[in-house]
C-alpha cells in the first residue's frame, strides 16, 4: 500500500510541476476549483490534498479555490494537531475551508472545527451549487 501511495505522489508531483509550467488561468477555462477531502489517511491530506489546494491557489492554476472537509477527514482533523496547523496555513492563504455540519455532529467534533475558523454548514447545497456553476471538483 505504501508503494502505491508513493507512486501516486510521484505521478501527482510530476503532473503538478509540468502543468504549472504551462498553465495559468485563461479566459474560457473554469477558474474555480473545489477540493473535497474525505480520506481518513493523514498522509493523503498532507502530501496530496493540501499540497494541491495550496499550489492551485499560489501558482494561479485556479482563481478561486475552496477546500471542503467531509466524512472521516473531519474526525481526523479534530484529532491531529499537525493537520490543524496545515489548515491554519491554508486559511491564511485566503483559501476558504468549509466542513460538513452533519459530519461534525456525527463525530462530535464541531467545536474543534469552529475553533479553527472553519465554516461548518450543511455541505450538500453549496457543493451542488459549485457543480452547477461549472467548478472543477477534485476529491481526495
Amino acid at each position: 500500500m505504501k508503494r502505491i501511495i508513493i507512486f501516486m505522489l510521484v505521478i501527482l508531483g510530476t503532473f503538478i510541476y509540468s502543468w504549472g509550467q504551462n498553465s495559468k488561468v485563461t479566459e474560457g477555462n473554469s477558474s474555480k476549483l473545489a477540493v473535497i477531502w474525505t480520506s481518513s489517511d493523514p498522509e493523503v491530506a498532507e502530501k496530496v490534498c493540501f499540497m494541491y489546494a495550496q499550489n492551485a491557489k499560489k501558482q494561479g492554476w485556479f482563481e478561486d479555490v475552496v477546500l471542503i472537509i467531509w466524512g472521516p477527514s473531519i474526525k481526523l482533523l479534530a484529532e491531529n494537531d499537525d493537520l490543524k496547523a496545515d489548515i491554519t496555513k491554508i486559511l491564511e492563504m485566503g483559501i476558504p475551508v468549509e466542513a460538513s455540519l452533519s459530519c461534525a455532529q456525527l463525530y462530535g467534533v464541531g467545536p474543534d472545527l469552529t475553533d479553527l475558523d472553519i465554516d461548518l454548514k450543511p455541505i450538500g447545497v453549496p457543493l451542488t451549487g459549485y457543480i452547477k456553476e461549472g467548478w472543477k471538483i477534485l476529491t481526495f
Side-chain angles (χ1 to χ4, degrees), residues 41-77:
D41 183 338
E43 200 167 9
V44 169
E46 291 175 329
K47 296 184 174 76
V48 185
C49 181
F50 295 173
M51 187 185 301
Y52 186 84
Q54 289 172 312
N55 278 296
K57 182 71 171 181
K58 184 169 60 174
Q59 301 296 331
W61 300 333
F62 292 90
E63 190 173 308
D64 295 320
V65 177
V66 62
L67 175 62
I68 299 171
I69 308 170
W70 204 0
S73 57
I74 285 177
K75 183 175 186 271
L76 174 64
L77 177 60

Side-chain angles (χ1 to χ4, degrees), residues 95-127:
I95 299 173
V97 179
E98 303 173 352
S100 168
L101 176 61
S102 298
C103 291
Q105 290 171 338
L106 286 171
Y107 290 110
V109 297
D112 295 306
L113 301 183
T114 55
D115 286 348
L116 294 171
D117 292 325
I118 293 173
D119 187 11
L120 283 178
K121 61 173 116 182
I123 218 67
V125 171
L127 177 57

Side-chain angles (χ1 to χ4, degrees), residues 3-136:
R3 283 184 172 179
I4 292 172
I5 290 172
I6 291 169
F7 174 75
M8 289 172 45
L9 291 172
V10 168
I11 295 298
L12 181 62
T14 303
F15 172 74
I16 289 171
Y17 176 78
S18 64
W19 187 37
Q21 298 302 305
N22 299 315
S23 85
K24 295 289 178 193
V25 176
T26 59
E27 285 188 54
N29 289 341
S30 175
S31 64
K32 298 175 185 238
L33 173 68
V35 177
I36 303 173
W37 172 37
T38 63
S39 173
S40 63
D41 183 338
E43 200 167 9
V44 169
E46 291 175 329
K47 296 184 174 76
V48 185
C49 181
F50 295 173
M51 187 185 301
Y52 186 84
Q54 289 172 312
N55 278 296
K57 182 71 171 181
K58 184 169 60 174
Q59 301 296 331
W61 300 333
F62 292 90
E63 190 173 308
D64 295 320
V65 177
V66 62
L67 175 62
I68 299 171
I69 308 170
W70 204 0
S73 57
I74 285 177
K75 183 175 186 271
L76 174 64
L77 177 60
E79 298 170 346
N80 187 309
D81 289 337
D82 291 336
L83 296 179
K84 288 178 184 178
D86 291 338
I87 289 294
T88 299
K89 290 176 190 170
I90 288 169
L91 287 163
E92 288 171 354
M93 289 181 68
I95 299 173
V97 179
E98 303 173 352
S100 168
L101 176 61
S102 298
C103 291
Q105 290 171 338
L106 286 171
Y107 290 110
V109 297
D112 295 306
L113 301 183
T114 55
D115 286 348
L116 294 171
D117 292 325
I118 293 173
D119 187 11
L120 283 178
K121 61 173 116 182
I123 218 67
V125 171
L127 177 57
T128 300
Y130 296 143
I131 293 167
K132 288 184 175 186
E133 292 170 12
W135 286 55
K136 303 294 184 186

